[in-house]
Amino acid sequence: MKKNLIIPILLLLSNTIFAQSNKCNIKQIQLETYDFATSKLELVQKGFSNLDALIQSSIDIKDKKIEKITYYLILPENSYSGVNKKEITVWDGLHKFIFEKVNSCIKNDSDFENTSMIVFRIPLSKENIQMAINEVNSKK
């Protein structure tokens, strides 16, 4: 009988620990977006000829609600500075993923209480996504 009780307790404990470590933050949003983009790369890349470019996602937030998400194409010719960025539309699946992930975080996490904008860039090639993941993971 004790064995039957131990398994549910361990499951509950591991879920509680995981929930605490899976806190919503901008780093987590980026990493999950990179994972999503990698898994759906052909759809994310569709319509883009320069796969060394980046998609910049600019998310305007007001009163813990997403006001607007704007996407820009950032070209390597500009050294990725974004000086000559061009507003674009992205694959609906990517937009929906970003919207739902950010919306969930800002509604459910007090760390986003005073956040008015989230900006990050999404590479268009598997190699560049991996470099972005390594860069994000190296930051504290």
Side-chain angles (χ1 to χ4, degrees):
M1 182 135 140
K2 287 184 180 181
K3 287 182 183 178
N4 291 342
L5 188 59
I6 291 173
I7 293 173
I9 290 172
L10 287 175
L11 286 173
L12 180 63
L13 187 61
S14 66
N15 285 342
T16 304
I17 291 169
F18 178 73
Q20 289 174 351
S21 67
N22 197 22
K23 188 172 183 173
C24 238
N25 57 42
I26 294 172
K27 178 179 178 178
Q28 195 63 33
I29 291 169
Q30 282 181 273
L31 292 173
E32 288 183 26
T33 301
Y34 296 155
D35 285 344
F36 179 81
T38 300
S39 70
K40 307 287 187 190
L41 196 55
E42 287 183 18
L43 295 168
V44 172
Q45 291 173 336
K46 193 174 182 177
F48 298 105
S49 57
N50 186 344
L51 300 183
D52 286 326
L54 304 166
I55 297 171
Q56 179 174 302
S57 174
S58 298
I59 306 153
D60 295 318
I61 301 166
K62 185 176 181 183
D63 299 325
K64 292 189 81 164
K65 292 181 185 169
I66 296 174
E67 289 282 303
K68 182 178 181 182
I69 301 177
T70 309
Y71 301 98
Y72 300 97
L73 186 64
I74 309 293
L75 299 171
E77 297 85 57
N78 297 324
S79 300
Y80 296 114
S81 67
V83 172
N84 296 317
K85 63 187 175 186
K86 174 184 168 190
E87 190 170 338
I88 58 168
T89 56
V90 297
W91 170 56
D92 283 343
L94 178 62
H95 173 74
K96 183 178 179 182
F97 177 85
I98 291 171
F99 180 88
E100 289 176 358
K101 180 65 186 166
V102 172
N103 195 45
S104 173
C105 285
I106 62 176
K107 285 187 176 196
N108 298 317
D109 198 308
S110 61
D111 286 352
F112 287 90
E113 199 70 39
N114 297 316
T115 302
S116 62
M117 179 171 273
I118 298 172
V119 177
F120 62 94
R121 293 176 176 182
I122 306 160
L124 291 170
S125 72
K126 193 172 269 191
E127 299 79 23
N128 289 344
I129 291 173
Q130 188 56 54
M131 287 191 317
I133 289 169
N134 294 341
E135 184 177 323
V136 169
N137 281 328
S138 70
K139 294 179 181 177
K140 291 186 178 185

